[in-house]
Amino acid sequence: MDDGHGKIHCPSFTLPMSSSRELSEQAHEFFRGRPWGILPYTETTEDCLSTVEQVARFVLNEKTRNAERPPVDVFLLTALMEPEFTALENVDFQWKPFEPLDRSQLIKFGTVTSQGREYSVAAGFCQRMGPVAASILTMKALLELRPSLVAMTGICAGIPGKADIGDVVATEVSWDWQSGKHVDKNGIEGFEIAPHQLGIHDACRNALLLFKRDEEFWRSLAPDALNAKVKQPKLVLGPMATGSSVLADARVAARIKENQHKNVVGLDMETYGVFAAAQAYSASTKVISLKSVCDKGDVKKNDRHQSYAASVSATALHRFLSQHLHTLLDDR
């Protein structure tokens, strides 16, 4: 502190803005975990100005607190802003500009129509990858927005022979594949798995089975698949193993399949955390995870298909909600 300026009053809130994606990416790590991150600025739309207004209103009402927010029907989340949340933004949910959920999280509100009825939607992305950040964001949304359905979209690894690049993995059951006990077995290091599995509601499973047979939709994805030089995507319903580490070793994936669940179809870093938060909040809260395969979790792992897979996942989620949300929520 400069003694010549006396006592400096630090602001309670800061909202950095930048019109340069390159500079924003360079500063991303510094602002990770700080309130709201970096707001993209553009003069082509009024979204940035609207977000600043919403932040200002939030700050002004922070002490007095507005009346309780009305609940939303669906909360959508992704692991990261790029490429997953950006892919979600590009889908027609009638998105409004960002606004604060709380002192550290920005979200967007939108709508989706199912069977002629309009449903409210909110969406946000985690501060970082992994089950902890995913469960924190999920619980924040559940407490503030009280959605009836929580849905995760994004990218994952596929198990060879089970799910191909671009396929959408619909999680039927998930667990933490790293949960267990490291032991010494006569001088040889060993590990005893202790999985806690969480599954989806029967109504969600039935809707996903119908979605799997939506041939018109899956055929509509063929042109983009051709451009990406991969097979036409399909829905793969099955177990998803979640861990806090990135996998780029086929031997680890093979051990998960051999020792934990022979039918595992995908690997990710968030789904179990989302499922756990939803169950802890209320047994009546429905939850799904629709993630598209971008790699096989082996030594060939790279970013080549991440944007493509994120787009497939977001598009599939919108179609699923459009076709089946009215059925999932009509028993509320």
Side-chain angles (χ1 to χ4, degrees), residues 234-312:
K234 60 183 181 297
L235 187 77
V236 180
L237 180 63
M240 173 82 84
T242 294
S244 57
S245 56
V246 177
L247 275 186
D249 188 340
R251 293 169 296 184
V252 178
R255 285 200 298 270
I256 294 173
K257 180 179 178 181
E258 179 180 356
N259 301 326
Q260 300 188 17
H261 203 309
K262 67 182 181 65
N263 295 322
V264 63
V265 297
L267 307 167
D268 84 334
M269 299 176 64
E270 291 84 25
T271 293
Y272 175 76
V274 174
F275 281 21
Q279 186 187 73
Y281 175 77
S282 171
S284 64
T285 302
K286 295 181 176 68
V287 58
I288 61 170
S289 175
L290 291 179
K291 289 193 169 187
S292 180
V293 175
C294 66
D295 61 63
K296 297 299 182 70
D298 55 19
V299 70
K300 297 179 181 179
K301 178 181 176 64
N302 55 53
D303 298 343
R304 176 184 174 188
H305 291 111
Q306 285 190 357
S307 294
Y308 166 73
S311 177
V312 171

Side-chain angles (χ1 to χ4, degrees), residues 188-205:
I188 300 176
E189 182 181 353
F191 181 73
E192 297 175 349
I193 179 68
H196 172 234
Q197 296 184 341
L198 294 172
I200 58 176
H201 193 280
D202 285 344
C204 293
R205 184 177 185 276

Side-chain angles (χ1 to χ4, degrees), residues 65-124:
R65 300 293 293 176
N66 285 332
E68 189 176 43
R69 294 177 188 261
V72 299
D73 295 308
V74 185
F75 180 70
L76 313 178
L77 73 154
T78 68
L80 295 174
M81 187 174 192
E82 298 289 347
E84 297 158 301
F85 192 80
T86 296
L88 193 60
E89 287 180 297
N90 290 333
V91 179
D92 187 17
F93 279 101
Q94 303 296 311
W95 295 119
K96 297 177 181 178
F98 278 116
E99 63 178 87
L101 174 68
D102 58 19
R103 295 172 68 98
S104 64
Q105 183 71 48
L106 287 175
I107 59 172
K108 282 192 171 186
F109 288 96
T111 59
V112 63
T113 301
S114 179
Q115 200 66 18
R117 178 180 172 185
E118 190 174 85
Y119 294 86
S120 57
V121 174

Side-chain angles (χ1 to χ4, degrees), residues 9-204:
H9 296 280
C10 296
S12 299
F13 298 92
T14 60
L15 183 63
M17 293 181 288
S18 175
S19 61
S20 169
R21 170 174 286 191
E22 181 180 351
L23 292 177
S24 295
E25 291 176 350
Q26 293 175 3
H28 175 73
E29 286 301 319
F30 176 80
F31 285 102
R32 186 197 293 270
R34 289 176 167 83
W36 305 317
I38 303 175
L39 180 65
Y41 174 78
T42 175
E43 295 182 351
T44 58
T45 71
E46 295 184 355
D47 283 3
C48 181
L49 181 61
S50 296
T51 297
V52 172
E53 180 182 351
Q54 292 293 340
V55 170
R57 291 183 184 278
F58 174 85
V59 172
L60 289 173
N61 292 316
E62 171 75 354
K63 294 181 179 180
T64 58
R65 300 293 293 176
N66 285 332
E68 189 176 43
R69 294 177 188 261
V72 299
D73 295 308
V74 185
F75 180 70
L76 313 178
L77 73 154
T78 68
L80 295 174
M81 187 174 192
E82 298 289 347
E84 297 158 301
F85 192 80
T86 296
L88 193 60
E89 287 180 297
N90 290 333
V91 179
D92 187 17
F93 279 101
Q94 303 296 311
W95 295 119
K96 297 177 181 178
F98 278 116
E99 63 178 87
L101 174 68
D102 58 19
R103 295 172 68 98
S104 64
Q105 183 71 48
L106 287 175
I107 59 172
K108 282 192 171 186
F109 288 96
T111 59
V112 63
T113 301
S114 179
Q115 200 66 18
R117 178 180 172 185
E118 190 174 85
Y119 294 86
S120 57
V121 174
F125 56 90
C126 303
Q127 297 289 341
R128 62 188 72 248
M129 297 185 297
V132 174
S135 62
I136 288 173
L137 175 54
T138 301
M139 187 57 74
K140 280 185 177 185
L142 288 166
L143 292 171
E144 290 288 333
L145 304 174
R146 304 178 304 285
S148 299
L149 173 69
V150 175
M152 182 156 209
T153 180
I155 58 179
C156 67
I159 299 296
K162 297 286 188 178
D164 297 317
I165 299 296
D167 284 351
V168 177
V169 174
T171 302
E172 190 173 21
V173 62
S174 185
W175 69 99
D176 178 0
W177 65 265
Q178 296 170 303
S179 177
K181 181 180 181 181
H182 292 275
V183 296
D184 184 331
K185 295 183 177 180
N186 299 320
I188 300 176
E189 182 181 353
F191 181 73
E192 297 175 349
I193 179 68
H196 172 234
Q197 296 184 341
L198 294 172
I200 58 176
H201 193 280
D202 285 344
C204 293

